[in-house]
Amino acid sequence: INTPVWSTGDILSRTYPVDVPPRAKLEIDFSLNADTLQVSRSDQSDFSAFVTLADEYPDSLIAPAEAGQYLYKIEAGFGRRGSIIYYLLLNVKETVAPAA
C-alpha cells in the first residue's frame, strides 16, 4: 500500500548485472497470469528515464544489439492480489564467458 520511493542509486546498489549476448531472448513468466504488465527500459546514460517497450503480456523480449548496461523495469498487476515491480540490469557483452 505504501510503496517506498527508491532512487536510481538504491535500485542499482541492490540489482546485480546479468551478462547476456546481444539480442538474447528474455522470457517473462509468472506463476499467475498478470492482469496488467508494463515493461520499460533505461539505457546506460543515467538509468533515470524509462521508455515503455511493452504495455501487454509479451512472451519474450529481445536484449539490445549494442553492448552496454540496460536497466529494465517490469511492472505486473494481479488484480485484488496486488502488484509488483521487478528491476533487471542487463550487461550486454559481445562475448559472454560460460557459466561455471
Side-chain angles (χ1 to χ4, degrees):
I1 295 173
N2 295 317
T3 305
V5 177
W6 292 71
S7 71
T8 302
D10 292 333
I11 294 165
L12 291 174
S13 71
R14 291 168 172 84
T15 307
Y16 299 97
V18 176
D19 293 343
V20 297
R23 299 180 193 222
K25 183 178 179 180
L26 309 170
E27 293 188 23
I28 299 172
D29 187 26
F30 293 103
S31 58
L32 298 172
N33 283 338
D35 293 335
T36 62
L37 183 74
Q38 184 177 45
V39 180
S40 305
R41 185 180 77 204
S42 183
D43 66 16
Q44 62 216 32
S45 60
D46 65 359
F47 297 119
S48 64
F50 285 87
V51 174
T52 301
L53 300 177
D55 226 356
E56 55 191 52
Y57 204 97
D59 293 325
S60 62
L61 297 171
I62 305 298
E66 284 190 40
Q69 286 193 328
Y70 300 87
L71 183 63
Y72 285 80
K73 179 167 67 170
I74 302 167
E75 301 175 75
F78 298 94
R80 292 188 0 227
R81 291 179 173 243
S83 61
I84 192 161
I85 298 175
Y86 288 102
Y87 288 93
L88 173 64
L89 182 61
L90 290 186
N91 189 24
V92 178
K93 297 177 125 185
E94 287 301 320
T95 56
V96 177

